[in-house]
Amino acid sequence: MRVGLGYDVHALVEDRPLILGGVEISHTKGLLGHSDADVLVHAIMDALLGAAGLGDIGQHFPDTDPQYKGISSLELLKEVDRLVKAKGYLIGNLDSVIMAEQPKLMSHIPLMRERLAATLDILPDQVNIKATTTEKLGFVGREEGIAAQAVVYLIY
Ligand code: MG
């Protein structure tokens, strides 16, 4: 049994789509980044890599590499899943939390769970996603960015 932790933050800016958990969400701002800046998927990838002892996403997908510009993070997640499974691990479950003041995310979570589960070849029940505000405190509360945390449990 192995556990891994992931954390990520991206800035909210105008004229970018907001993509969380592989789902495009209608909002006035989106996340800035080299890829599609899906902060939840990035946290999950780091948790998976951490649990498998495979480093972090910066090592595997450098943001200086043009092949990752604008890429869907689900494609990167698929590659991380391949690396984890190549080491002989199976995903037991993962749990995560998105920290965002706006927009309200609850109604989008079922589709995020489906997309992530399909990408990882597991059941939606194994992919838990929670959302919280930070009570208007800090960069999240000021709507300057969105943060995400994830933990993953791997079985050998
Ligand atoms: Mg990131």
Side-chain angles (χ1 to χ4, degrees):
M1 296 184 279
R2 316 244 321 186
V3 293
L5 166 71
Y7 176 72
D8 196 25
V9 173
H10 281 268
L12 272 171
V13 296
E14 282 171 16
D15 300 318
R16 285 271 298 183
L18 177 61
I19 296 164
L20 289 170
V23 176
E24 185 163 347
I25 293 164
S26 172
H27 190 46
T28 52
K29 294 177 180 178
L31 295 173
L32 184 64
H34 186 65
S35 65
D36 65 2
D38 189 328
V39 69
L40 174 62
V41 172
H42 293 186
I44 290 170
M45 288 195 287
D46 260 351
L48 283 163
L49 290 168
L54 287 168
D56 66 35
I57 57 174
Q59 289 169 245
H60 292 271
F61 313 108
D63 64 7
T64 49
D65 189 331
Q67 72 169 303
Y68 302 123
K69 190 167 163 51
I71 196 171
S72 165
S73 294
L74 290 183
E75 286 186 47
L76 304 179
L77 179 63
K78 188 110 205 139
E79 173 61 12
V80 166
D81 185 51
R82 195 189 63 75
L83 294 170
V84 167
K85 285 174 180 159
K87 282 193 85 173
Y89 297 113
L90 288 174
I91 297 169
N93 74 297
L94 70 89
D95 190 18
S96 60
V97 56
I98 305 167
M99 285 150 269
E101 197 63 40
Q102 289 288 340
K104 292 292 169 233
L105 298 173
M106 205 166 73
S107 64
H108 300 281
I109 286 177
L111 186 55
M112 293 183 201
R113 292 178 73 176
E114 266 178 48
R115 293 243 163 108
L116 295 178
T119 304
L120 296 167
D121 209 14
I122 55 178
L123 300 170
D125 173 63
Q126 290 169 279
V127 181
N128 201 68
I129 302 168
K130 306 183 295 295
T132 186
T133 70
T134 58
E135 300 289 339
K136 299 198 177 348
L137 296 170
F139 69 87
V140 168
R142 292 188 297 270
E143 298 178 46
E144 294 167 2
I146 292 179
Q149 288 185 338
V151 290
V152 171
Y153 165 61
L154 296 180
I155 303 161
Y156 188 71

